[in-house]
Amino acid sequence: MAEKKTFEANVTAVTQYRAEVSARGVKNIINGVRKDSVTGKTFRTLSPIDNTIICEVAESTTEDIDAACQAAWNAFPAWAALDGKTRRNILYRYADLIEENAEKISLLESLDTGQPIRFMAKAALRGAANFRFFADRAEEAQNGLSLPTNDHLNYTIRQPIGPIGVITPWNTPFMLSTWKIAPALAAGCTVVHKPAELSPVTAQILTELGLEAGLPAGVLNLVNGYGETVGKALTEHVHIKAIAFVGESSTGSLIMQQGAPTLKRVHFELGGKNPVIVFADADLDRALDAAIFMKYSLNGERCTSSSRLLVEKPVYEEFTTRLAERVTQIKVGNPLDPETEVGPLIDTGHLSKVQRYVDLAVEEGATKTSGGGRPDGCETGNYINPTFVKDADPTMRIAQEEIFGPYLTAMSFETDAEALEIANSVNYGLAAYIWTKDVTRAVNMAHKVEAGMVWINSQNVRHLPAPFGGVKQSGIGRDGGDYSFDFYMETKNIAIAMGDHSISKLGAE
Ligand code: NAD
């Protein structure tokens, strides 16, 4: 596995993969054919490590989206009609191929996103696990309920809704795309995927492996380009029945408007400003490890990151002092180095945004213990020192807005009610983390905190059948297990008369 290799070995391997990608470029894949955009225009994807060009990427237009949606529309009836076992076998083969290519996928993902290889190696494998998980359910996904009455047998079945538009963000693109595409294909839907323009490299591999695994032409299509043009066209297309979107809350709002004329079903996984609430009676060592992991892993570019630290007053100074020390020891560096814990941010624009929040912390009157500026030894690329800010007021912008970088904002609280008020004071509601040994308190907090997912005495440990999603401006709908099939499928009720029940005889009485 890539994570066990040395930095030098990773650099050697990625040089070869990069040369391949640079020569081939990233193109569209429509109806099983890899091709340039209709206009032949391209844009460039850069590596956050040093902002050098990785390759040219097809810059598509509405015409390319039209062709992809038509292909997905044409392929839908046969794919939907295929028996679940055949779909399952293809998706299993797909998972095998992802595993066989995991090293290449994870190294290119690190190169394209700046995410440390120590996390990306696992993310590629999780992509394969997603396919196996949903493949196993492909046969049963159509099963519904039996709802008998005395005179009718009502039963429900689920049928795939139709072609799906999948729109994904740049932070961990490969894994996130499989989390949408795997259940959609298992359900019997066809897909048009529009990956983020800032990290499009692994989406091409994902689509190509699907074809190699035996997906019929048109079942999975890839269209590259900008959100405001091709993303928008996808959400407006009449052949697309639903949009599975992961990205910013403001983009979700636009997509809802764009999809309104064609009454799109939407599933949104959006931003977060997730609290980690640490009570004085908690196992503070474990809480410390978890709070640091959940904020500084994946460069802090993680929707479920615990970006607000709420600590009970009696242990606030001790806890934040220990945390501040640890943050200065986080290893920042080249993401291809297996020792690296925080890599470069996705692009210079995002780097400036995070740096602005570092400056804002001081302006707003909070205490910056570390962070901001360029780390030693990282002369090129989009690197920033991991940031820890304490003594914040819950109303400050640094305590309210999603920063999406290696940046943690801490504040204290005195009572359970105050902790809850602070936790619920933001527009977001994706995840919450609660640390206490008092079960009654933990359960009460968990029920009252405004979040789609709560972890008690734990970091984000995922269980694929469990529902994933947020409340408030963090999202609409749930993924995971059967929840995914509820989105990608329509439920149909069928009522059969069991005998001669009464029918009003209008016009005959
Ligand atoms: P973004 O909203 O800028 O872009 C996401 C995707 O939407 C991209 O592919 C983009 O091209 C496309 N897009 C942009 N405008 C569009 C439009 N008008 N119509 C259709 N598509 C459009 O998000 P980002 O900056 O790439 O990603 C970071 C965000 O994603 C953060 O807010 C983060 O919290 C969120 N995120 C959420 C989850 C979750 O599960 N809740 C997971 C990962 C990331």
Side-chain angles (χ1 to χ4, degrees):
M1 273 313 305
E3 62 183 325
K4 292 188 190 132
K5 293 197 172 164
T6 61
F7 181 28
E8 291 69 28
N10 284 340
V11 170
T12 306
V14 92
T15 304
Q16 183 206 324
Y17 296 137
R18 182 177 183 156
E20 229 176 81
V21 173
S22 164
R24 295 182 80 219
V26 168
K27 301 197 177 187
N28 295 336
I29 300 177
I30 299 174
N31 209 21
V33 180
R34 187 170 167 277
K35 51 166 77 163
D36 291 322
S37 65
V38 168
T39 61
K41 276 178 80 177
T42 58
F43 63 93
R44 289 165 169 180
T45 181
L46 310 179
S47 173
I49 299 173
D50 51 11
N51 291 309
T52 53
I53 300 163
I54 300 176
C55 67
E56 299 287 332
V57 184
E59 186 183 334
S60 310
T61 62
T62 309
E63 268 188 88
D64 301 288
I65 284 288
D66 267 344
C69 294
Q70 189 62 51
W73 179 258
N74 294 344
F76 174 69
W79 181 247
L82 210 60
D83 67 293
K85 189 168 270 172
T86 310
R87 278 207 298 272
R88 176 189 175 278
N89 293 343
I90 294 172
L91 297 183
Y92 253 74
R93 172 88 186 112
Y94 204 162
D96 292 344
L97 288 171
I98 291 173
E99 274 179 3
E100 284 166 26
N101 287 276
E103 184 199 68
K104 177 180 179 178
I105 293 165
S106 52
L107 286 171
L108 286 173
E109 189 90 315
S110 274
L111 181 74
D112 202 19
T113 62
Q115 293 285 8
I117 190 65
R118 63 160 65 209
F119 304 120
M120 288 307 95
K122 291 178 194 135
L125 295 177
R126 168 67 199 286
N130 285 341
F131 273 101
R132 287 213 180 86
F133 176 82
F134 287 108
D136 277 335
R137 285 154 183 80
E139 274 190 276
E140 290 166 17
Q142 64 183 329
N143 292 348
L145 297 172
S146 168
L147 302 162
T149 64
N150 282 347
D151 51 27
H152 281 81
L153 169 61
N154 285 265
Y155 71 95
T156 69
I157 57 168
R158 287 193 301 199
Q159 296 175 319
I161 188 171
I164 306 287
V166 173
I167 303 179
T168 46
W170 47 258
N171 58 331
T172 52
F174 187 85
M175 197 289 289
L176 275 174
S177 305
T178 64
W179 183 234
K180 304 289 173 189
I181 292 171
L185 296 181
C189 297
T190 54
V191 171
V192 177
H193 180 203
K194 206 301 278 176
E197 49 271 44
L198 291 176
S199 57
V201 169
T202 56
Q204 175 170 257
I205 301 176
L206 181 63
T207 317
E208 289 183 315
L209 293 180
L211 289 171
E212 199 181 328
L215 288 180
V219 168
L220 175 58
N221 306 277
L222 173 70
V223 181
N224 288 282
Y226 294 108
E228 302 74 23
T229 49
V230 288
K232 181 170 181 286
L234 182 59
T235 61
E236 291 171 342
H237 205 281
V238 71
H239 284 346
I240 297 294
K241 297 299 158 199
I243 296 287
F245 170 73
V246 185
E248 285 189 19
S249 304
S250 54
T251 314
S253 172
L254 281 176
I255 289 176
M256 198 173 244
Q257 294 172 44
Q258 294 160 191
T262 47
L263 292 174
K264 289 282 183 299
R265 180 183 289 186
V266 292
H267 187 297
F268 289 163
E269 286 180 21
L270 310 173
K273 189 74 175 176
N274 312 297
V276 50
I277 306 170
V278 181
F279 286 95
D281 69 348
D283 181 332
L284 296 179
D285 292 341
R286 287 178 62 75
L288 188 72
D289 288 342
I292 294 170
F293 175 76
M294 279 314 301
K295 186 56 253 183
Y296 298 98
S297 59
L298 298 177
N299 296 346
E301 295 165 329
R302 177 179 196 158
C303 57
T304 51
S305 72
S306 54
S307 45
R308 289 184 296 152
L309 173 65
L310 280 55
V311 187
E312 199 173 3
K313 198 97 178 212
V315 294
Y316 177 76
E317 274 314 318
E318 179 205 336
F319 195 84
T320 53
T321 303
R322 288 177 66 194
L323 196 144
E325 270 169 36
R326 284 271 294 273
V327 172
T328 59
Q329 288 161 34
I330 288 175
K331 294 186 194 74
V332 186
N334 191 307
L336 299 169
D337 186 341
E339 297 298 313
T340 291
E341 294 171 326
V342 168
L345 304 187
I346 186 72
D347 71 346
T348 52
H350 190 53
L351 177 67
S352 312
K353 172 186 157 180
V354 176
Q355 180 61 49
R356 275 203 303 281
Y357 278 102
V358 179
D359 302 335
L360 186 64
V362 180
E363 286 164 31
E364 287 191 306
T367 310
K368 185 185 86 169
T369 71
S370 62
R374 193 170 274 283
D376 292 340
C378 300
E379 274 67 43
T380 57
N382 310 323
Y383 294 93
I384 189 164
N385 280 307
T387 302
F388 180 49
V389 173
K390 57 191 274 194
D391 309 336
D393 183 276
T395 59
M396 290 175 179
R397 285 182 57 197
I398 57 166
Q400 290 283 324
E401 297 172 13
E402 185 183 45
I403 300 171
F404 217 55
Y407 186 125
L408 178 59
T409 304
M411 51 211 115
S412 67
F413 68 86
E414 294 195 49
T415 63
D416 293 26
E418 190 189 2
L420 205 56
E421 191 184 328
I422 298 172
N424 291 345
S425 69
V426 297
N427 289 330
Y428 297 104
L430 188 59
Y433 305 88
I434 299 167
W435 286 85
T436 174
K437 287 183 183 149
D438 180 335
V439 177
T440 306
R441 164 188 271 165
V443 171
N444 273 302
M445 293 293 292
H447 283 217
K448 290 175 186 160
V449 72
E450 291 167 356
M453 299 168 284
V454 181
W455 277 271
I456 296 170
N457 296 329
S458 179
Q459 76 283 30
N460 174 345
V461 177
R462 293 279 296 115
H463 179 48
L464 298 185
F468 184 100
V471 302
K472 296 161 86 176
Q473 289 185 17
S474 285
I476 296 176
R478 295 292 177 271
D479 275 322
D482 208 47
Y483 296 93
S484 296
F485 291 127
D486 270 343
F487 177 72
Y488 295 109
M489 302 180 92
E490 293 280 20
T491 298
K492 179 184 280 183
N493 188 66
I494 297 157
I496 310 164
M498 303 290 287
D500 295 337
H501 64 284
S502 113
I503 303 176
S504 292
K505 297 179 185 300
L506 299 186
E509 285 171 8

